[in-house]
Each structure stands twice: as structure tokens, then as C-alpha cells.
Amino acid sequence: MAETAARRTGRLAVIAGSGMLPVFVAEAARAAGENPFVFRLKNEADQRFEAFEGVPIGVGDMAGLSALLKAKGIGRVVMSGGVRRRPHFGEIHVNLRSILKLPSALRTLLAGGDDAVLTMVIKLIEAQGVDVVGAQEIAPGLLATTGPLGAHRPSDEDRRDIQAAAKAAEVLGRLDVGQGAVSVGGRIVALEGVEGTDRMLKRVADLRSEGRISSRRKGVLVKLCKPQQDVRADLPTVGLSTVAEASHAGLAGIAVESGRALIIERDAMLAAADAAGLFVCGIDLGLPGELM
């Protein structure tokens, strides 16, 4: 028990992938009195972290990560941001603490779904003697709350689309495929795959321009946390680009799971959604018969 307590009071490290989320997590940690160390994932992290101590590191460099965790007195790690590619075999460098997990780790990296891969990565990091914590623990202000978040509210038709897309997103999540679905007029027109939300929404825009999707009905994007997902990594995230792509796709709005989804640059995002006439809302799957 004493060892666990010591770990949890150690220095915090942020493993930074792509996007703005790692920046907000690091800034929230500093605002709370932390001195976060930032591991910038090579070929993934696309933001600048000059204000923080840190180093670049390869996605599969577990041996290098372990040495730095010890050298910097790190006891907690938060994983944030996107990772577009899995490491090649030659990029994987392990140490004694993780070598026993190597066969199963390699199988998962090669063939597992995103959730399986993230679970394996968490286990490998924890094998180095640190705790993995969720971004929402460091930056709770990013979590979506229940109900309309901007100036616009979903109509009755939008609510039906939310119900339909939420059901599809839940099934998709159980299959460990993706987190998002789009419903137009009660019909599921797109499911998120490995391409991510923004590229899925580009597909919706293309389908609408081709006449494959009704121009009379708008539709809704819903993003949910996978039912089996470890919430310490890869919570559904929406931001300015989500609003831009949803607007381009002709949608009426965006719904995310309250308490289990992150909103990046909230004020700017909601202002953009208001200007585009889109609603943004948090839905509660635990409410019987209603979502919000």
C-alpha cells in the first residue's frame, strides 16, 4: 500500500500524441501545481511544448520510456492525443519489466482493435512501476456535461437521430471499431472506422453532394465511449475541426456522452457551433427513455 501511495504522489508525465488535447492536459496540470514532463511521440505530436520539460520518444520505445520515468521521478502517466500509426517491429524496444508481455503485446499490436491496443499499452506502461491516469482526472473541465452546451437545441427530429446514432455507436464500440455514427432522418449513413471522425464526416459531405443522402434532412453526429473501454485513454473528443466538418456535411448538430467525452477549446468550439447554427449537447445513456 505504501508503494502505491508513493507512485501516485510522483511527478506527472504527459505522453503527447497529435492534436491540442496534450496541450490542454499539460496546462491544466501546471495550473493545479504540477510540473508535468512531456513525452512527445515522434511522428505524432504536432504541437509545441517549449514551456514544459520533455523529450521526443518513439511510439514503441518502452526501454527509453522506462529509463526516463525513473530518472525524472515520475509516478503517474497520462496518455493524450491521437496516434495514427502502430510501431513497426524494428521500432519496439523493451526492457526486462515488459519482456514477459512481449509475445501478447506484439500479437495485439499487429491484430488487435484500438481498445485492445490501448489496454496493452497501459499494461506495458504500468509494468514500469507507474500509475496510468485519465486525462479527465488531470483536466476535469474538459468533460462534457448533460444537455445543450451552446445556443442551439436539438429538435424532435434531431432527438430521433441522436437515439438512432447512439444505438449504432454503441454496437460499433462493442466491436472495437470506432466511437462515432451519423444518422440522417433516422437512417445510419456513416460509421467511424480507423480513419477517424473528421474523415468520416468528409465522407458524409461527399455522399450528400452526390445525392446519396437527403438534402432535406440534416442529421446528427454521435460519439460515445466504447462500452468496454478503459477510460484512462482515448475518450471521445470533439473540437473546432469537428464543428467545421459537421457543418460542411450539413448536419444539425453533435452529441457526445456526458462525463465520458472531452471537449477541446470549449469556448471557441461552442462559438463556432453557434455561428454555424449547430447544436452541441451532452447525452446521458443512463436516463430511461431520454438521453438528456
Side-chain angles (χ1 to χ4, degrees), residues 145-163 165-166 181-184 201 217-223 238-239 242-247 250-257 263 266 269-283 291-292:
T145 53
T146 304
L149 304 178
H152 303 287
R153 303 176 66 90
S155 66
D156 289 342
E157 182 176 347
D158 296 333
R159 287 174 177 269
R160 287 191 288 273
D161 275 327
I162 291 173
Q163 293 271 7
V182 175
S183 173
V184 177
L201 292 174
R217 292 177 167 172
K218 291 197 169 184
V220 172
L221 163 69
V222 173
K223 292 194 70 171
V238 294
T242 319
V243 169
E245 296 299 343
S247 177
L251 300 184
I254 299 164
V256 294
E257 189 173 358
I263 299 179
R266 180 183 296 251
M269 179 204 174
L270 293 178
D274 291 347
L278 271 69
F279 70 81
V280 179
C281 66
I283 58 177
L291 293 174
M292 57 184 174

Side-chain angles (χ1 to χ4, degrees), residues 6-7 9-14 35-39 65 68-77 128-131:
R7 287 180 186 177
T9 56
R11 187 178 183 184
L12 177 73
V14 178
N35 178 27
F37 186 91
V38 179
F39 290 99
L65 176 67
L68 282 164
L69 291 174
K70 183 177 180 180
K72 298 297 179 179
I74 292 165
R76 294 163 299 140
V77 170
Q128 314 311 315
V130 298
D131 286 345

